[in-house]
């Protein structure tokens, strides 16, 4: 959730086709909202560099993006200008959305909620989202599963190299929370002035939550029926899969 130098590499490293699938998931859910797209207000929470927010704006929705990282939002604003779309981007902590508007739909993808290590923070975020949804509003999000955190990620390695940059990602089992994982990210960017590489290092920590915990917290917050699925909402819920998708609402 907290990115510094990583923001400069993010767009090049991330699989851009995933944003099309997230957008498809959101658009399908908006079909239940009795408004034309131009009147549907969406908050893309933990929006990163704004790719999804911009895609949704291009489909005619009123979209706002919010993220904690100033670096990510700088890229998002530049991307919105290049796309000629009007998307306001706001720097905020997802646990406190004071000052933001009310929305018909709030989404939070790319396992951003897994960065909330303390379960109380997850509950606080659910409450903040609930308070900023209209009476019939929807909340859509995804999380990595316990299977992903405990079976897939530990020992995972990914390396990327281009002419002027390199990236190494290594994941380890975390001991700071249940079902936790720690990602060590190392970046090397060529500096022409020094004729050498600048090196950066970041540690990202995530934890998984059982689906029953997620559903209980949502219910305690006031959300009604919660639907869990996999594969961007296209397939039924399977516990032993990498990523879960949730959709819930107020009424």
């Amino acid at each position: 959730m907290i990115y510094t130098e990583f923001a400069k590499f993010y767009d090049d490293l991330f699989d851009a086709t995933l944003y099309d699938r997230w957008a498809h998931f959101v658009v399908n859910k908006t079909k239940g909202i009795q408004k034309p797209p131009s009147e549907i207000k969406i908050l893309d929470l933990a929006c990163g560099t704004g790719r999804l927010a911009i895609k949704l704006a291009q489909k005619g929705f009123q979209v706002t993006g919010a993220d904690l990282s100033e670096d990510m939002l700088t890229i998002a604003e530049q991307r919105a200008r290049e796309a000629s779309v009007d998307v306001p981007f706001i720097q905020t902590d997802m646990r406190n959305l004071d000052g933001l508007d009310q929305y018909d739909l709030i989404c939070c993808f790319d396992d951003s909620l897994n960065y909330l290590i303390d379960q109380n923070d997850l509950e606080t975020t659910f409450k903040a989202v609930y308070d900023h949804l209209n009476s019939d509003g929807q909340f859509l999000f995804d999380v990595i599963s316990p299977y992903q955190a405990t079976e897939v990620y530990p020992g995972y390695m990914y390396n990327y190299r281009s002419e002027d940059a390199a990236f190494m990602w290594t994941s380890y089992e975390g001991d700071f929370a249940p079902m936790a994982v720690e990602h060590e990210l190392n970046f090397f960017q060529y500096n022409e002035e020094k004729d050498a590489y600048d090196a950066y290092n970041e540690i990202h920590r995530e934890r998984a939550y059982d689906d029953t915990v997620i559903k209980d917290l949502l219910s305690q917050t006031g959300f009604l029926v919660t639907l869990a699925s996999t594969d961007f909402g296209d397939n039924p819920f399977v516990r032993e899969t990498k990523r879960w998708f949730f959709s819930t609402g107020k009424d």
Side-chain angles (χ1 to χ4, degrees), residues 81-141:
R81 288 193 297 270
E82 293 172 351
S84 298
V85 294
D86 182 17
V87 179
F89 289 101
I90 301 169
Q91 185 176 12
T92 190
D93 188 317
M94 68 173 73
R95 294 167 294 185
N96 184 351
L97 303 180
D98 289 352
L100 273 68
D101 207 343
Q102 299 297 118
Y103 301 92
D104 299 299
L105 186 148
I106 297 178
C107 58
C108 186
F109 296 125
D110 197 13
D111 53 272
S112 297
L113 293 172
N114 293 107
Y115 282 84
L116 299 175
I117 306 303
D118 189 328
Q119 183 172 310
N120 291 329
D121 286 336
L122 183 64
E123 183 176 10
T124 297
T125 299
F126 285 166
K127 289 179 179 177
V129 168
Y130 185 90
D131 289 342
H132 285 271
L133 282 172
N134 290 327
S135 59
D136 57 350
Q138 298 183 43
F139 180 33
L140 312 179
F141 62 94

Coordinates of all heavy atoms in Angstrom, one line a residue, residues 81-141:
R81 N -4.7 13.1 -17.4 CA -4.6 14.2 -18.4 C -4.3 13.7 -19.8 O -4.9 14.2 -20.8 CB -3.4 15.1 -17.9 CG -3.8 16.0 -16.7 CD -2.7 17.1 -16.5 NE -1.4 16.6 -16.2 CZ -0.9 16.3 -15.0 NH1 -1.7 16.5 -14.0 NH2 0.3 15.8 -14.8
E82 N -3.5 12.7 -19.9 CA -3.1 12.1 -21.2 C -4.4 11.4 -21.8 O -4.5 11.4 -23.0 CB -2.0 11.1 -21.0 CG -0.7 11.7 -20.6 CD 0.4 10.7 -20.3 OE1 0.1 9.5 -20.2 OE2 1.6 11.1 -20.1
A83 N -5.2 10.9 -20.9 CA -6.4 10.2 -21.4 C -7.6 11.2 -21.7 O -8.7 10.8 -22.1 CB -6.9 9.1 -20.5
S84 N -7.4 12.4 -21.3 CA -8.4 13.5 -21.4 C -9.7 13.1 -20.7 O -10.8 13.2 -21.2 CB -8.7 13.8 -22.9 OG -7.5 14.2 -23.5
V85 N -9.6 12.6 -19.5 CA -10.8 12.3 -18.6 C -10.7 13.1 -17.3 O -9.6 13.4 -16.9 CB -10.9 10.8 -18.3 CG1 -11.2 10.0 -19.6 CG2 -9.7 10.3 -17.6
D86 N -11.8 13.4 -16.8 CA -11.9 14.2 -15.6 C -12.1 13.2 -14.4 O -13.2 12.8 -14.1 CB -13.0 15.2 -15.6 CG -13.1 16.0 -14.4 OD1 -12.1 16.1 -13.6 OD2 -14.2 16.6 -14.1
V87 N -11.0 12.9 -13.7 CA -11.0 12.0 -12.6 C -10.2 12.7 -11.4 O -9.0 12.8 -11.5 CB -10.3 10.6 -12.8 CG1 -10.4 9.8 -11.6 CG2 -11.0 9.9 -14.0
P88 N -10.9 13.2 -10.4 CA -10.2 13.7 -9.3 C -9.5 12.6 -8.5 O -10.1 11.5 -8.2 CB -11.3 14.4 -8.4 CG -12.6 13.7 -8.9 CD -12.4 13.3 -10.3
F89 N -8.3 12.9 -8.1 CA -7.6 11.9 -7.3 C -7.3 12.5 -5.9 O -6.8 13.7 -5.8 CB -6.3 11.5 -8.0 CG -6.5 10.6 -9.2 CD1 -6.4 11.2 -10.4 CD2 -6.8 9.3 -9.0 CE1 -6.7 10.4 -11.6 CE2 -7.0 8.5 -10.2 CZ -6.9 9.1 -11.4
I90 N -7.5 11.8 -4.9 CA -7.5 12.3 -3.5 C -6.5 11.4 -2.7 O -6.6 10.2 -2.7 CB -8.8 12.3 -2.8 CG1 -9.8 13.2 -3.6 CG2 -8.8 12.8 -1.4 CD1 -11.3 13.0 -3.2
Q91 N -5.6 12.1 -2.0 CA -4.7 11.3 -1.1 C -5.4 11.1 0.3 O -5.8 12.1 1.0 CB -3.4 12.1 -0.9 CG -2.4 11.3 0.0 CD -1.0 12.0 0.1 OE1 -0.9 13.2 -0.3 NE2 0.0 11.3 0.6
T92 N -5.6 9.9 0.6 CA -6.3 9.6 1.9 C -5.9 8.2 2.4 O -5.5 7.3 1.6 CB -7.8 9.7 1.7 OG1 -8.4 9.6 3.0 CG2 -8.4 8.6 0.9
D93 N -6.1 7.9 3.6 CA -6.0 6.6 4.2 C -7.3 5.9 4.2 O -8.4 6.5 4.5 CB -5.5 6.8 5.7 CG -5.2 5.5 6.4 OD1 -5.9 4.5 6.2 OD2 -4.2 5.4 7.1
M94 N -7.4 4.7 3.7 CA -8.7 4.0 3.5 C -9.4 3.8 4.8 O -10.6 3.6 4.8 CB -8.5 2.7 2.8 CG -7.7 1.6 3.6 SD -7.7 0.0 2.7 CE -6.6 0.3 1.4
R95 N -8.7 3.9 5.9 CA -9.4 3.7 7.2 C -10.1 5.0 7.7 O -10.9 4.9 8.6 CB -8.3 3.4 8.3 CG -7.7 2.0 8.1 CD -6.4 1.9 8.9 NE -5.4 2.8 8.6 CZ -4.2 2.8 9.1 NH1 -3.9 1.9 10.1 NH2 -3.2 3.6 8.7
N96 N -9.9 6.1 7.0 CA -10.6 7.4 7.3 C -10.9 8.1 6.1 O -10.0 8.7 5.4 CB -9.6 8.2 8.2 CG -10.3 9.5 8.7 OD1 -11.4 9.8 8.3 ND2 -9.7 10.1 9.7
L97 N -12.1 8.1 5.7 CA -12.6 8.7 4.4 C -13.3 10.0 4.7 O -14.1 10.5 3.8 CB -13.5 7.7 3.6 CG -12.8 6.4 3.3 CD1 -13.8 5.5 2.5 CD2 -11.5 6.6 2.5
D98 N -13.1 10.6 5.8 CA -13.7 11.9 6.2 C -13.5 12.9 5.1 O -12.3 13.1 4.6 CB -13.2 12.4 7.5 CG -13.7 11.6 8.7 OD1 -14.6 10.7 8.5 OD2 -13.2 11.8 9.8
G99 N -14.5 13.6 4.7 CA -14.4 14.7 3.7 C -14.7 14.2 2.3 O -14.9 15.0 1.4
L100 N -14.8 12.9 2.1 CA -15.1 12.4 0.8 C -16.7 12.4 0.6 O -17.4 12.5 1.6 CB -14.6 11.0 0.6 CG -13.1 11.0 0.0 CD1 -12.1 11.5 1.0 CD2 -12.8 9.5 -0.4
D101 N -17.1 12.2 -0.6 CA -18.5 12.3 -1.0 C -19.2 10.9 -0.6 O -18.6 10.0 0.0 CB -18.6 12.6 -2.5 CG -19.9 13.3 -2.8 OD1 -20.9 13.3 -2.0 OD2 -20.0 13.9 -3.9
Q102 N -20.5 10.8 -1.0 CA -21.2 9.6 -1.0 C -21.2 9.0 -2.3 O -21.3 9.7 -3.3 CB -22.7 9.8 -0.5 CG -22.8 10.4 0.9 CD -22.3 9.5 2.0 OE1 -21.3 9.9 2.7 NE2 -22.8 8.4 2.1
Y103 N -21.2 7.6 -2.4 CA -21.0 7.0 -3.7 C -22.0 5.8 -3.9 O -22.5 5.3 -2.9 CB -19.6 6.4 -3.8 CG -18.5 7.5 -3.7 CD1 -17.9 7.8 -2.4 CD2 -18.1 8.2 -4.8 CE1 -17.0 8.8 -2.3 CE2 -17.1 9.2 -4.6 CZ -16.6 9.5 -3.4 OH -15.7 10.5 -3.3
D104 N -22.3 5.5 -5.1 CA -23.1 4.4 -5.5 C -22.4 3.1 -5.4 O -23.0 2.1 -5.2 CB -23.7 4.6 -6.9 CG -24.6 5.8 -7.0 OD1 -25.6 5.9 -6.2 OD2 -24.2 6.7 -7.8
L105 N -21.1 3.2 -5.6 CA -20.2 2.0 -5.6 C -18.8 2.4 -5.2 O -18.3 3.4 -5.7 CB -20.2 1.3 -7.0 CG -19.5 0.0 -7.1 CD1 -20.2 -0.9 -8.2 CD2 -18.0 0.1 -7.5
I106 N -18.3 1.6 -4.3 CA -16.9 1.7 -3.9 C -16.2 0.4 -4.2 O -16.7 -0.7 -3.8 CB -16.7 2.1 -2.4 CG1 -17.4 3.5 -2.1 CG2 -15.3 2.1 -2.0 CD1 -17.4 3.9 -0.7
C107 N -15.0 0.5 -4.8 CA -14.3 -0.7 -5.1 C -12.8 -0.6 -4.5 O -12.3 0.5 -4.4 CB -14.2 -1.0 -6.6 SG -13.6 0.3 -7.7
C108 N -12.3 -1.7 -4.2 CA -10.9 -1.8 -3.7 C -10.3 -3.1 -4.1 O -10.6 -4.1 -3.5 CB -11.0 -1.6 -2.1 SG -9.4 -1.5 -1.3
F109 N -9.4 -3.0 -5.1 CA -8.8 -4.2 -5.7 C -7.3 -4.3 -5.5 O -6.7 -3.6 -4.8 CB -9.2 -4.2 -7.2 CG -10.6 -4.3 -7.5 CD1 -11.3 -3.4 -8.3 CD2 -11.4 -5.3 -6.9 CE1 -12.6 -3.5 -8.6 CE2 -12.8 -5.4 -7.2 CZ -13.4 -4.5 -8.0
D110 N -6.8 -5.4 -6.1 CA -5.3 -5.7 -6.1 C -4.9 -5.9 -4.7 O -3.8 -5.5 -4.3 CB -4.6 -4.5 -6.8 CG -3.2 -4.9 -7.2 OD1 -2.9 -6.2 -7.1 OD2 -2.3 -4.1 -7.5
D111 N -5.6 -6.7 -3.9 CA -5.3 -7.1 -2.6 C -4.9 -6.0 -1.6 O -4.2 -6.2 -0.7 CB -4.3 -8.3 -2.5 CG -3.0 -8.1 -3.3 OD1 -3.0 -8.4 -4.5 OD2 -2.0 -7.6 -2.6
S112 N -5.4 -4.8 -1.9 CA -5.1 -3.7 -1.0 C -5.5 -3.9 0.4 O -4.8 -3.4 1.3 CB -5.7 -2.4 -1.6 OG -5.2 -2.1 -2.9
L113 N -6.6 -4.5 0.6 CA -7.1 -4.7 2.0 C -6.2 -5.7 2.8 O -6.2 -5.7 4.0 CB -8.5 -5.3 2.0 CG -9.6 -4.3 1.5 CD1 -10.9 -5.0 1.3 CD2 -9.7 -3.1 2.4
N114 N -5.4 -6.5 2.1 CA -4.5 -7.4 2.7 C -3.3 -6.7 3.4 O -2.6 -7.3 4.2 CB -3.9 -8.5 1.8 CG -5.0 -9.4 1.3 OD1 -5.4 -9.4 0.1 ND2 -5.4 -10.3 2.1
Y115 N -3.1 -5.4 3.1 CA -2.1 -4.6 3.7 C -2.5 -4.2 5.1 O -1.7 -3.6 5.8 CB -1.7 -3.5 2.8 CG -0.8 -3.8 1.7 CD1 -1.3 -4.3 0.5 CD2 0.6 -3.7 1.8 CE1 -0.5 -4.7 -0.6 CE2 1.4 -4.0 0.7 CZ 0.9 -4.5 -0.4 OH 1.7 -4.9 -1.5
L116 N -3.8 -4.4 5.4 CA -4.3 -4.0 6.8 C -4.0 -5.2 7.7 O -4.7 -6.2 7.7 CB -5.8 -3.7 6.7 CG -6.1 -2.5 5.8 CD1 -7.7 -2.4 5.7 CD2 -5.5 -1.2 6.3
I117 N -2.9 -5.1 8.4 CA -2.4 -6.3 9.2 C -3.2 -6.5 10.4 O -3.4 -7.6 10.9 CB -0.9 -6.0 9.6 CG1 -0.1 -5.7 8.3 CG2 -0.4 -7.2 10.3 CD1 -0.1 -6.8 7.3
D118 N -3.7 -5.4 11.0 CA -4.5 -5.5 12.2 C -6.0 -5.7 11.8 O -6.5 -4.9 11.0 CB -4.4 -4.2 13.0 CG -5.0 -4.3 14.4 OD1 -6.0 -5.0 14.6 OD2 -4.5 -3.7 15.3
Q119 N -6.7 -6.7 12.3 CA -8.1 -6.9 12.0 C -8.9 -5.7 12.3 O -9.9 -5.5 11.7 CB -8.6 -8.2 12.7 CG -10.0 -8.6 12.3 CD -10.4 -9.9 12.9 OE1 -9.7 -10.9 12.7 NE2 -11.5 -10.0 13.5
N120 N -8.6 -5.0 13.4 CA -9.3 -3.8 13.7 C -9.3 -2.8 12.6 O -10.3 -2.0 12.4 CB -8.8 -3.2 15.0 CG -9.1 -4.1 16.2 OD1 -10.1 -4.8 16.3 ND2 -8.2 -4.1 17.2
D121 N -8.2 -2.7 11.9 CA -8.0 -1.7 10.8 C -8.9 -2.2 9.6 O -9.5 -1.3 8.9 CB -6.6 -1.6 10.3 CG -5.7 -0.9 11.3 OD1 -6.3 0.0 12.0 OD2 -4.5 -1.1 11.3
L122 N -9.1 -3.5 9.4 CA -10.0 -4.0 8.4 C -11.4 -3.6 8.7 O -12.1 -3.1 7.9 CB -9.8 -5.5 8.2 CG -10.6 -6.1 7.1 CD1 -10.2 -5.6 5.7 CD2 -10.5 -7.6 7.2
E123 N -11.8 -3.8 10.0 CA -13.1 -3.4 10.4 C -13.4 -1.9 10.3 O -14.4 -1.5 9.8 CB -13.4 -3.9 11.8 CG -14.8 -3.6 12.3 CD -15.0 -4.2 13.7 OE1 -14.0 -4.6 14.4 OE2 -16.2 -4.2 14.1
T124 N -12.4 -1.1 10.6 CA -12.5 0.3 10.5 C -12.7 0.7 9.1 O -13.5 1.6 8.8 CB -11.2 1.0 11.1 OG1 -11.1 0.7 12.5 CG2 -11.3 2.5 11.0
T125 N -12.0 0.1 8.2 CA -12.1 0.4 6.8 C -13.5 0.0 6.3 O -14.1 0.8 5.5 CB -11.0 -0.3 5.9 OG1 -9.7 0.1 6.4 CG2 -11.2 -0.1 4.5
F126 N -14.0 -1.1 6.6 CA -15.3 -1.5 6.3 C -16.4 -0.5 6.7 O -17.3 -0.1 6.0 CB -15.7 -2.9 6.8 CG -15.0 -4.0 6.1 CD1 -15.0 -5.3 6.7 CD2 -14.4 -3.9 4.9 CE1 -14.4 -6.4 6.1 CE2 -13.8 -5.0 4.3 CZ -13.8 -6.2 4.9
K127 N -16.2 0.0 8.0 CA -17.1 1.0 8.5 C -17.0 2.3 7.7 O -18.0 3.0 7.4 CB -16.8 1.3 10.0 CG -17.2 0.1 10.9 CD -16.9 0.4 12.3 CE -17.3 -0.7 13.2 NZ -16.9 -0.5 14.6
A128 N -15.8 2.7 7.3 CA -15.6 4.0 6.6 C -16.2 3.8 5.2 O -16.9 4.8 4.7 CB -14.1 4.3 6.4
V129 N -16.1 2.7 4.6 CA -16.7 2.5 3.3 C -18.3 2.5 3.4 O -19.0 3.2 2.6 CB -16.3 1.1 2.7 CG1 -17.2 0.7 1.5 CG2 -14.8 1.2 2.3
Y130 N -18.8 1.8 4.4 CA -20.2 1.8 4.7 C -20.8 3.2 4.8 O -21.8 3.5 4.3 CB -20.5 1.0 5.9 CG -22.0 0.8 6.2 CD1 -22.6 -0.3 5.7 CD2 -22.7 1.6 7.0 CE1 -24.0 -0.5 5.9 CE2 -24.0 1.5 7.3 CZ -24.7 0.4 6.7 OH -26.0 0.2 7.0
D131 N -20.1 4.0 5.6 CA -20.5 5.4 5.8 C -20.5 6.3 4.6 O -21.2 7.3 4.6 CB -19.7 6.0 6.9 CG -19.9 5.4 8.3 OD1 -21.0 4.8 8.5 OD2 -19.0 5.6 9.2
H132 N -19.8 5.9 3.6 CA -19.7 6.7 2.3 C -20.4 6.1 1.2 O -20.2 6.5 0.0 CB -18.2 7.0 2.0 CG -17.6 8.0 2.9 ND1 -17.7 9.4 2.7 CD2 -17.0 7.9 4.1 CE1 -17.1 10.0 3.7 NE2 -16.7 9.1 4.6
L133 N -21.2 5.1 1.4 CA -22.1 4.5 0.4 C -23.5 5.1 0.5 O -24.0 5.3 1.6 CB -22.1 3.0 0.5 CG -20.9 2.2 0.0 CD1 -21.1 0.7 0.3 CD2 -20.8 2.4 -1.6
N134 N -24.1 5.3 -0.6 CA -25.6 5.7 -0.7 C -26.4 4.5 -0.1 O -25.9 3.4 0.0 CB -26.0 6.0 -2.1 CG -25.4 7.3 -2.5 OD1 -25.2 8.2 -1.7 ND2 -25.1 7.5 -3.8
S135 N -27.6 4.7 0.1 CA -28.5 3.7 0.8 C -28.5 2.4 0.1 O -28.7 1.4 0.7 CB -29.9 4.3 1.0 OG -30.5 4.6 -0.3
D136 N -28.4 2.4 -1.2 CA -28.4 1.1 -2.0 C -27.0 0.9 -2.6 O -26.9 0.2 -3.6 CB -29.5 1.2 -3.0 CG -29.3 2.3 -4.0 OD1 -28.5 3.2 -3.7 OD2 -30.0 2.3 -5.1
G137 N -26.0 1.4 -2.0 CA -24.7 1.3 -2.5 C -24.0 -0.1 -2.5 O -24.4 -0.9 -1.6
Q138 N -23.0 -0.3 -3.3 CA -22.4 -1.6 -3.4 C -20.9 -1.4 -3.1 O -20.3 -0.4 -3.4 CB -22.5 -2.2 -4.8 CG -23.9 -2.5 -5.2 CD -23.9 -3.1 -6.6 OE1 -23.1 -4.0 -6.9 NE2 -24.8 -2.7 -7.4
F139 N -20.3 -2.4 -2.5 CA -18.9 -2.5 -2.1 C -18.3 -3.7 -2.8 O -18.7 -4.8 -2.5 CB -18.7 -2.5 -0.6 CG -17.3 -2.5 -0.2 CD1 -16.2 -1.9 -0.9 CD2 -16.9 -3.2 1.0 CE1 -14.9 -2.0 -0.4 CE2 -15.6 -3.3 1.5 CZ -14.6 -2.6 0.8
L140 N -17.3 -3.5 -3.6 CA -16.6 -4.6 -4.3 C -15.2 -4.6 -4.0 O -14.5 -3.6 -3.9 CB -16.8 -4.5 -5.8 CG -18.1 -4.1 -6.4 CD1 -18.0 -4.0 -8.0 CD2 -19.1 -5.2 -6.1
F141 N -14.6 -5.8 -3.7 CA -13.2 -5.9 -3.4 C -12.7 -7.3 -3.6 O -13.4 -8.2 -3.8 CB -12.9 -5.4 -1.9 CG -13.6 -6.3 -0.9 CD1 -12.9 -7.3 -0.3 CD2 -14.9 -6.0 -0.5 CE1 -13.5 -8.1 0.7 CE2 -15.5 -6.8 0.5 CZ -14.8 -7.8 1.1

